[in-house]
Amino acid sequence: MENSSSNQQQRERRREEQRDEEERVERRVKELEEKWKLPKSNLDQPQVRVLSALSLDQHDDVIVFKLANDEKKICANLPIVDIMDLMTSYIEQNIRDEVKEIAKHKGNYAGVKKMITTAVNKNLKSGWSHELLRSMETLELQELKNIIQPNQTDLDDFNDRYGIPRNSLLHRISRELTRFCGILLTPMGKSESAEESGNIPQVHPQMAVSEEHFARNTAFTSDKYRLLEEGRQAYKKAKQISFNAVTESKVQSPKFSNEYARLLQNNHAMFLMMIGPAGSGKTTLTKRIVKKCLEEKKMAFFISFHRIGKDDRWSLKNLLLKFPLLEHQEYHPTDDQVQYDFQWILRNQEKCFIVLDGLDQSEFQISNDPIEADINDELFPSQLVSLLLSRRFLGGVRLILTSRPHSIVPFSPVIQPNVVVFLNDLTKEDTETLMRHYIPCGDVEKILKLLAMKSPRIHTMVHTPLFLRIFAMLYNVKGEKIWKIVQTTASLFYEIIGWHQNSAHLGSEVDAKELNMKLGDMAYNKTMKQSVVFYNDDLQQVGLTANDVQDLVFAVLENFTKHKNSSLVGSTLLYFMHQSIQEFLSVTFAFECLDLANFKEFLGKIFPQLSIGGGEGYLNVGEDNFNILRMFLIGCISELEQQQQRTIETDEILAKKHLFIQSFCGHLRQLFVRKAYAVARDHQYQLMSDLLDLQDGNITDEIRNNLKSHHFWIMFYSDKVADREGLIHFLQQFTTNIAYLRVSLNGWGHYDDDVKRFFRSLQRPSKIGELIIAMYKSSSIPSVDDVISILPQLTISLMLRFVDLDVEREFCEKLKEGIKMFDTTKLQTQELNVRVQEYRSKDKTFHLLLHVVLSRGEAARIIESKF
């Protein structure tokens, strides 16, 4: 009865929390709708399904739709001059005269088209379509009237197509964009076939909302060099929205029921900015958004910034309706065609989506101060886009803009989006799904598991679409031989960059090795200045041209000057294809080309300073801005060491390796101490994972000997596979004396016998003082033999702690029997305490289950046993 009552209270509490959250979301939605002055979406309003229920204006629209669909059959045969004479009450004199004049000089067809265009512009009296049908009766044109008279099929077709005629520009653009957006690009920039693109699984990066982005969010909002992980962590706990919320699809995920998902679903007229680093999938995602909208019979436009010349002048209607056709079909529509379809856009903004892709690749400035202009004016792109972003033009459409994050920093409030979304990594499940597609003959779970063990950094990177593709392509070329490459992250990068340059259209006349050294020089100088942006001047300083670097570097802006009202700054902007390539080339240049003095200065930057801080005198870790460089340096040294086992090392290389070992060991001595472990735990995990890339036995032995006298203090709580592998490797290869080791085995027991390998690693250190091991699942419980095997290494105590587990009795009985059989002469200490404890999280209590004291040369003494 007590348990039943408790469960009922918990259910009631959860329901109350859900009600509170729902009320909070509703309040927040209303606040933001009022703040942004958002009109409600009317896409869900019921359409008129019966002809007799049509209003005068609706009947006019259906007739225009019918005339436009069957214009070749109707326009040439409709006596427009006679019709004009009979519709005096509905058409003004000047319009009738103009239509007659056009019919007289250009033919009946042109006259009817002019009348249709005038009707689209709403320059005819409401109800003119009924008068047209009556006029045709008067002229005894019954057969033609029967063709024009809308029937139920026509109305259904009109509703299904939102009133867009089949032979209109909008229909032509929809058809072309459906094809274009269904074709994706390879990492080399080549188009997939339509069939290949269609077979790619529909997975998307996680879309995390950056709340109050311009007021407080600094992750990835400048041209500074920042760790990619910093950006990911900044959005780790952010609210998310779904793909369907962006496209306003009917099916929504309950997981994303926050205020932003609700706003996007209920308010069409929102301006959404999608940001993310290179390779995060921005263009692919937006192309799929456009394709999805078009498939659902909505109207969508896709415009790439880099296709628009900064000195071209465009009216909004020409940018939307002429530009896509000129780009994809070289089709030149007439002004009347453009005007007809633009009027449909103006009247149906709630059915339109406009995607502007790649702001960071534009050649023009976007003004922070929108000018006063008419919607039909021809303007420079900088002015036109500014008016779109400020919502002064087409304020009722859904506007989606993509960019690298730093490009939107200077946005003034008037052109800032309603919502900024950071494209984070793919989920674990989506990564596996996509990997199975690109590596159809491989065991993806095994591949990802091995990758996490051998190269945690690459394992993280393959959760972004670009690098998943690159890794998969390399795996398909190398097969299982790839694991010989993935000995270190650096070795994989050597292979990826070399293979990429060989596979792509390498346009440079410079030798690949020389090219990479020059690129490394440029990358190093910028990385040390904490910048990710390069200019033509930077290329010239190292003797390269844009043509030399086209396969590793994106050129995104040309001939650009700084302007106070610009949303982008700088001249020619260049980026490495991925920030990790910049980091890798920086490190190879530093190790192979810097002199000893500069290399020593470099080492000082990649090992953060530790300082005593906090009221209790704990050690604090300084900014670890270059931890990826440190990881790559470890891999480069290991890779070079293996290469030079067959050659003679130079004095400079030996000196650099010695400096590296000194710096690393000094840093480890400062870090793994009692006063540091509570505040520097994550940094400890990072360093242990970094050392996974150190494969060379000579350097490993030298570091181990250097640290022989140090007494390590280590606390480990991570459930990440890479961190676990780092701990096992660190204990096995680099520790001799451990004063204190506390390990949580939460999440252990599923990968490659990791619990057994962990206990095996504990046999390597000469001495371990205090050892505490917490177990959360039955799969993480070691065997009694594993426990007994580490007793000779222990000098003070062993604590085995069961957390919310009910298998203690069996384990304790087996452990007692095993300890009784243990040869205590193998102990290093006079006395060793072994305890087994249980912890119940429900009431937060500890209970001692077993306490055994081992004295050297004596039989085990059972101090306490609950069983």
Side-chain angles (χ1 to χ4, degrees):
M1 287 293 293
E2 185 177 339
N3 286 338
S4 175
S5 175
S6 175
N7 291 337
Q8 178 64 29
Q9 290 175 356
Q10 289 178 4
R11 286 193 295 270
E12 184 59 39
R13 187 163 54 250
R14 282 195 295 270
R15 282 195 291 267
E16 186 175 344
E17 289 172 354
Q18 289 172 355
R19 285 194 296 269
D20 290 344
E21 175 62 14
E22 182 64 26
E23 290 175 2
R24 186 200 68 77
V25 168
E26 285 297 328
R27 286 195 303 271
R28 184 61 175 154
V29 166
K30 289 179 181 178
E31 289 172 5
L32 292 174
E33 285 177 341
E34 291 175 6
K35 176 182 176 181
W36 296 331
K37 298 180 174 57
L38 294 173
K40 284 286 185 181
S41 173
N42 63 359
L43 264 180
D44 294 329
Q45 291 183 359
Q47 295 173 312
V48 178
R49 294 291 180 182
V50 182
L51 282 169
S52 60
L54 290 173
S55 67
L56 292 178
D57 285 335
Q58 289 169 337
H59 190 273
D60 292 343
D61 289 340
V62 174
I63 286 289
V64 168
F65 175 77
K66 187 73 183 290
L67 289 171
N69 269 339
D70 298 323
E71 62 179 22
K72 288 185 178 179
K73 186 186 300 184
I74 297 171
C75 292
N77 298 314
L78 191 66
I80 193 62
V81 173
D82 295 336
I83 293 291
M84 290 296 101
D85 290 337
L86 292 173
M87 295 183 64
T88 56
S89 300
Y90 287 85
I91 303 177
E92 294 180 2
Q93 181 67 48
N94 63 320
I95 297 175
R96 297 202 309 273
D97 290 344
E98 185 179 4
V99 170
K100 288 181 185 181
E101 190 69 17
I102 290 173
K104 179 180 177 181
H105 292 93
K106 296 184 180 180
N108 204 66
Y109 186 97
V112 176
K113 288 285 291 182
K114 180 61 180 178
M115 186 193 74
I116 294 173
T117 302
T118 307
V120 169
N121 290 337
K122 295 297 182 182
N123 289 327
L124 304 185
K125 184 179 177 181
S126 182
W128 65 266
S129 56
H130 288 289
E131 183 66 13
L132 172 65
L133 295 174
R134 287 193 291 269
S135 298
M136 294 176 71
E137 273 189 21
T138 301
L139 295 170
E140 297 181 352
L141 301 172
Q142 191 63 43
E143 184 177 348
L144 198 56
K145 178 194 172 187
N146 291 338
I147 296 174
I148 297 175
Q149 178 85 51
N151 56 37
Q152 189 61 46
T153 301
D154 296 325
L155 179 58
D156 292 341
D157 191 25
F158 176 86
N159 286 329
D160 185 53
R161 301 185 56 78
Y162 288 118
I164 301 175
R166 284 188 179 81
N167 60 349
S168 65
L169 297 182
L170 292 173
H171 176 66
R172 189 187 290 267
I173 290 170
S174 297
R175 188 174 56 206
E176 183 56 34
L177 283 179
T178 299
R179 183 200 64 78
F180 169 73
C181 292
I183 296 176
L184 305 180
L185 301 179
T186 70
M188 308 307 172
K190 297 178 181 178
S191 297
E192 302 269 23
S193 69
E195 183 179 358
E196 288 170 333
S197 297
N199 291 332
I200 296 172
Q202 295 283 315
V203 299
H204 312 292
Q206 299 174 80
M207 290 184 270
V209 176
S210 179
E211 298 188 80
E212 302 294 336
H213 182 87
F214 294 90
R216 68 185 187 189
N217 202 329
T218 60
F220 280 133
T221 56
S222 74
D223 65 349
K224 287 288 188 181
Y225 167 93
R226 294 174 183 268
L227 299 174
L228 293 182
E229 191 60 27
E230 177 186 335
R232 294 189 179 97
Q233 290 300 319
Y235 301 109
K236 187 174 182 181
K237 296 183 180 179
K239 293 166 185 171
Q240 294 189 39
I241 59 172
S242 68
F243 177 85
N244 286 343
V246 177
T247 61
E248 293 182 279
S249 296
K250 303 297 183 185
V251 180
Q252 290 297 306
S253 168
K255 180 181 177 182
F256 306 132
S257 58
N258 56 68
E259 57 266 39
Y260 297 99
R262 192 84 55 85
L263 280 163
L264 285 165
Q265 191 64 24
N266 298 335
N267 299 273
H268 178 75
M270 288 187 68
F271 173 15
L272 182 69
M273 165 71 81
M274 293 183 174
I275 60 174
S280 57
K282 298 184 293 294
T283 297
T284 297
L285 177 62
T286 49
K287 287 173 77 172
R288 283 178 168 167
I289 287 170
V290 168
K291 188 170 184 289
K292 178 70 171 177
C293 291
L294 293 172
E295 288 171 349
E296 294 183 348
K297 302 297 190 298
K298 302 161 190 171
M299 192 60 220
F301 302 89
F302 184 92
I303 297 173
S304 299
F305 274 106
H306 74 277
R307 302 277 189 182
I308 304 174
K310 63 185 177 68
D311 296 324
D312 298 335
R313 295 180 72 95
W314 292 92
S315 64
L316 182 57
K317 59 188 174 187
N318 285 339
L319 182 67
L320 294 178
L321 297 167
K322 280 191 176 181
F323 178 78
L325 294 174
L326 290 171
E327 183 180 24
H328 297 295
Q329 291 188 338
E330 295 186 358
Y331 175 79
H332 298 268
T334 66
D335 290 341
D336 282 346
Q337 286 177 300
V338 170
Q339 185 62 26
Y340 175 92
D341 287 58
F342 188 57
Q343 289 300 320
W344 183 94
I345 295 171
L346 292 175
R347 297 199 319 271
N348 295 276
Q349 294 183 44
E350 76 281 357
K351 301 165 188 170
C352 295
F353 293 71
I354 297 178
V355 172
L356 304 172
D357 183 53
L359 170 63
D360 50 287
Q361 299 177 44
S362 67
E363 293 183 1
F364 56 87
Q365 306 176 24
I366 298 177
S367 173
N368 274 328
D369 186 15
I371 65 172
E372 293 295 329
D374 182 81
I375 200 167
N376 293 306
D377 289 346
E378 290 192 347
L379 305 166
F380 289 114
S382 57
Q383 300 167 329
L384 186 55
V385 174
S386 177
L387 288 164
L388 270 174
L389 302 193
S390 67
R391 312 319 308 271
R392 296 185 186 182
F393 284 179
L394 296 183
V397 305
R398 173 152 298 178
L399 188 60
I400 301 171
L401 187 66
T402 73
S403 176
R404 290 192 184 189
H406 70 267
S407 298
I408 65 171
V409 178
F411 270 25
S412 67
V414 72
I415 63 170
Q416 288 175 4
N418 300 128
V419 179
V420 177
V421 174
F422 178 78
L423 298 191
N424 218 328
D425 292 342
L426 297 168
T427 64
K428 176 178 179 292
E429 293 76 17
D430 286 347
T431 299
E432 291 177 355
T433 298
L434 207 54
M435 189 80 83
R436 288 191 186 95
H437 173 77
Y438 288 120
I439 309 179
C441 299
D443 184 338
V444 167
E445 289 186 7
K446 180 182 176 183
I447 290 169
L448 289 173
K449 174 183 164 184
L450 283 170
L451 191 57
M453 292 169 57
K454 293 178 178 293
S455 180
R457 173 62 171 166
I458 299 296
H459 182 265
T460 298
M461 289 172 60
V462 296
H463 287 73
T464 61
L466 173 67
F467 265 81
L468 186 150
R469 288 289 310 269
I470 290 175
F471 176 82
M473 292 168 76
L474 189 59
Y475 184 90
N476 288 329
V477 171
K478 299 292 184 179
E480 289 301 308
K481 293 180 181 178
I482 198 172
W483 304 119
K484 294 180 180 179
I485 299 168
V486 192
Q487 295 299 314
T488 68
T489 309
S491 65
L492 185 57
F493 263 76
Y494 277 121
E495 191 72 24
I496 286 177
I497 290 175
W499 178 74
H500 180 54
Q501 289 174 327
N502 291 333
S503 299
H505 54 285
L506 186 61
S508 174
E509 296 180 2
V510 183
D511 173 74
K513 185 176 181 180
E514 180 186 352
L515 172 64
N516 289 339
M517 281 300 101
K518 289 182 175 182
L519 279 172
D521 187 359
M522 185 178 76
Y524 176 82
N525 289 324
K526 285 292 185 174
T527 302
M528 291 301 99
K529 294 176 183 177
Q530 294 188 271
S531 175
V532 295
V533 180
F534 303 83
Y535 303 95
N536 273 336
D537 289 347
D538 297 312
L539 287 175
Q540 291 170 8
Q541 285 176 12
V542 296
L544 294 175
T545 66
N547 191 53
D548 293 327
V549 301
Q550 62 178 309
D551 295 310
L552 289 178
V553 172
F554 288 121
V556 296
L557 289 173
E558 291 186 65
N559 302 323
F560 214 69
T561 55
K562 188 172 180 179
H563 190 276
K564 64 180 181 180
N565 286 327
S566 173
S567 62
L568 294 169
V569 294
S571 55
T572 301
L573 298 185
L574 304 164
Y575 299 86
F576 279 97
M577 184 178 69
H578 196 280
Q579 185 173 309
S580 296
I581 294 176
Q582 176 181 338
E583 294 163 330
F584 173 73
L585 291 174
S586 297
V587 166
T588 56
F589 175 81
F591 187 63
E592 297 182 25
C593 300
L594 290 182
D595 59 32
L596 289 179
N598 284 315
F599 184 71
K600 187 173 183 178
E601 183 180 344
F602 171 68
L603 290 174
K605 292 181 178 180
I606 67 172
F607 293 109
Q609 293 297 310
L610 303 177
S611 59
I612 295 179
E616 301 176 13
Y618 286 124
L619 271 174
N620 291 326
V621 180
E623 290 190 6
D624 193 11
N625 291 329
F626 297 115
N627 75 59
I628 302 305
L629 302 186
R630 182 176 59 244
M631 178 203 67
F632 276 134
L633 179 60
I634 292 170
C636 284
I637 289 175
S638 184
E639 181 74 12
L640 193 62
E641 180 77 7
Q642 293 178 44
Q643 292 175 11
Q644 293 187 340
Q645 286 175 359
R646 299 181 294 272
T647 62
I648 300 174
E649 290 184 312
T650 66
D651 290 340
E652 184 174 290
I653 291 296
L654 287 170
K656 285 181 177 178
K657 285 165 58 177
H658 181 66
L659 282 174
F660 166 77
I661 291 169
Q662 280 186 322
S663 298
F664 208 149
C665 291
H667 189 69
L668 292 176
R669 287 194 197 92
Q670 283 186 292
L671 185 65
F672 287 94
V673 293
R674 181 172 186 171
K675 56 187 175 182
Y677 73 80
V679 294
R681 193 180 306 148
D682 289 340
H683 187 56
Q684 290 177 350
Y685 299 163
Q686 181 68 55
L687 283 171
M688 289 189 287
S689 294
D690 289 349
L691 285 167
L692 284 168
D693 273 5
L694 193 55
Q695 301 291 320
D696 180 73
N698 294 331
I699 299 177
T700 299
D701 291 343
E702 193 169 343
I703 292 176
R704 183 184 180 89
N705 289 332
N706 205 301
L707 296 171
K708 187 178 292 185
S709 61
H710 182 70
H711 294 265
F712 285 87
W713 280 72
I714 304 171
M715 291 184 70
F716 186 89
Y717 292 100
S718 176
D719 59 355
K720 296 179 181 177
V721 175
D723 289 344
R724 294 205 295 265
E725 294 301 321
L727 174 68
I728 292 172
H729 181 68
F730 188 73
L731 293 173
Q732 210 162 29
Q733 299 296 331
F734 301 102
T735 60
T736 302
N737 291 293
I738 300 175
Y740 181 89
L741 176 60
R742 183 171 184 166
V743 179
S744 164
L745 299 184
N746 186 20
W748 291 55
H750 299 291
Y751 291 96
D752 201 24
D753 208 9
D754 49 12
V755 173
K756 184 170 287 294
R757 289 188 296 110
F758 166 66
F759 273 85
R760 197 178 302 138
S761 72
L762 294 176
Q763 298 175 34
R764 184 66 190 271
S766 300
K767 293 181 181 180
I768 303 175
E770 296 180 66
L771 176 60
I772 301 174
I773 300 174
M775 295 152 286
Y776 292 77
K777 294 182 179 180
S778 57
S779 59
S780 65
I781 298 175
S783 69
V784 168
D785 289 342
D786 287 336
V787 176
I788 299 298
S789 69
I790 64 172
L791 294 179
Q793 270 66 40
L794 302 176
T795 60
I796 299 176
S797 64
L798 168 65
M799 170 70 76
L800 300 173
R801 181 172 293 154
F802 291 88
V803 181
D804 296 329
L805 284 173
D806 297 318
V807 293
E808 301 92 341
R809 181 185 185 95
E810 180 182 358
F811 180 84
C812 288
E813 289 176 347
K814 289 183 178 180
L815 183 60
K816 276 195 296 186
E817 293 304 314
I819 287 178
K820 288 177 183 179
M821 302 293 293
F822 175 67
D823 181 1
T824 57
T825 61
K826 295 180 179 179
L827 291 175
Q828 296 187 55
T829 183
Q830 289 296 326
E831 186 174 280
L832 178 68
N833 285 275
V834 179
R835 294 180 178 87
V836 179
Q837 189 182 64
E838 73 169 352
Y839 174 74
R840 295 297 175 183
S841 57
K842 182 180 179 182
D843 51 9
K844 298 181 179 179
T845 56
F846 293 93
H847 303 283
L848 185 63
L849 305 177
L850 178 66
H851 181 192
V852 181
V853 174
L854 296 175
S855 298
R856 191 163 56 194
E858 299 179 9
R861 288 178 289 138
I862 309 297
I863 305 300
E864 185 165 353
S865 176
K866 293 294 184 183
F867 306 110

